[in-house]
Amino acid sequence: MAELAGLEDPKIREVNEKHGDDHGVNLGKLRALAKRLKTQQELARRLWATGDTAARLLALLICRPRAFEGAELDVMLREARTPKVHDWLVNYVVKKNPHAEELRLAWSADPDPVVASAGWALTTERVAKKPEGLHLTELLDVIETEMRAAPDRLQWAMNHCLAQIGIEHAEHRARAIAIGERLEVLKDYPTSPGCTSPFAPIWINEMVRRQHQE
């Protein structure tokens, strides 16, 4: 904890706090520290228990993703209220855990929109890598009905799923683009030069164009 405190940079904290993340540690330095510590599951659990955001990010880098029980990950997700901790927990740990599918189903139906957004993130992963058994038409129905009114984090996750369906599944592409055009979610999102807009129709068309170039 003392070493993490020593890595604190007020300027980095200021930038992070604009995005809802309450830490000021350079992520490159955090990853270097994790590399030095290597995998330590018990230390990861103790770091998580501190409640400190930088400590929790470090915990997610040094933990053993497959070692967590499903119920433990459910508690952790509900405790992870900053965006970066939430994203790393889902992407670095839950996606590699044997309970990922049961958590996906439970979280997708959760009344807490931040928890539900994790379910949608896991669904997006399946759309891309393991779509067998998913009902893509039904997913598009839910997105079409609920995405526009969804809270920010949940809306972002649904939008990503919409784009992924359009990118990966040509038979649903026209409908995915049409839903995006009609709902106009993230249409005016500020996008840096050289980056792809998160507006689903632009995102889908750009990624499909790149696939055809390869």
Side-chain angles (χ1 to χ4, degrees):
M1 292 305 292
E3 192 163 350
L4 282 172
L7 294 175
E8 177 78 19
D9 181 331
K11 289 180 182 172
I12 292 175
R13 177 177 284 272
E14 190 180 336
V15 171
N16 285 336
E17 284 183 343
K18 289 176 183 172
H19 304 290
D21 288 312
D22 56 349
H23 78 92
V25 178
N26 176 291
L27 295 181
K29 291 179 179 176
L30 193 74
R31 291 180 190 280
L33 177 57
K35 197 171 180 182
R36 199 179 81 224
L37 290 169
K38 299 188 170 63
T39 302
Q40 296 191 48
Q41 181 68 7
E42 193 47 46
L43 176 58
R45 283 197 167 101
R46 287 166 62 197
L47 285 167
W48 184 272
T50 67
D52 178 80
T53 293
R56 285 184 163 182
L57 292 173
L58 181 61
L60 296 172
L61 292 175
I62 66 167
C63 73
R64 191 174 291 111
R66 300 183 67 81
F68 292 102
E69 292 299 323
E72 190 175 8
L73 289 173
D74 183 69
V75 171
M76 289 169 73
L77 186 85
R78 292 170 196 280
E79 292 174 344
R81 304 317 286 181
T82 64
K84 185 68 74 179
V85 171
H86 180 276
D87 290 346
W88 281 21
L89 175 62
V90 172
N91 288 302
Y92 296 172
V93 181
V94 179
K95 285 180 180 179
K96 299 173 185 174
N97 183 276
H99 301 286
E101 180 60 15
E102 66 191 69
L103 290 171
R104 181 186 79 83
L105 294 170
W107 288 344
S108 295
D110 199 278
D112 182 332
V114 177
V115 175
S117 75
W120 278 92
L122 295 173
T123 299
T124 302
E125 174 89 347
R126 276 204 55 190
V127 167
K129 296 184 176 175
K130 195 183 172 187
E132 300 78 25
L134 284 180
H135 299 290
L136 299 181
T137 302
E138 290 176 17
L139 281 175
L140 289 171
D141 290 344
V142 174
I143 291 167
E144 190 167 23
T145 306
E146 300 178 12
M147 181 170 73
R148 182 183 270 170
D152 287 353
R153 298 277 292 283
L154 179 54
Q155 185 185 71
W156 187 273
M158 285 181 153
N159 184 70
H160 190 178
C161 190
L162 173 65
Q164 205 70 53
I165 291 171
I167 293 162
E168 302 287 345
H169 300 278
E171 68 277 21
H172 296 286
R173 188 168 296 148
R175 186 182 174 202
I177 289 171
I179 290 171
E181 287 175 341
R182 187 164 63 260
L183 299 184
E184 298 188 337
V185 167
L186 301 175
K187 185 177 183 179
D188 300 318
Y189 191 84
T191 306
S192 304
C195 295
T196 303
S197 168
F199 179 48
I202 294 175
W203 190 354
I204 293 166
N205 286 322
E206 174 59 20
M207 298 311 291
V208 170
R209 183 185 69 77
R210 289 185 199 177
Q211 287 171 358
H212 290 158
Q213 281 183 337
E214 290 173 359

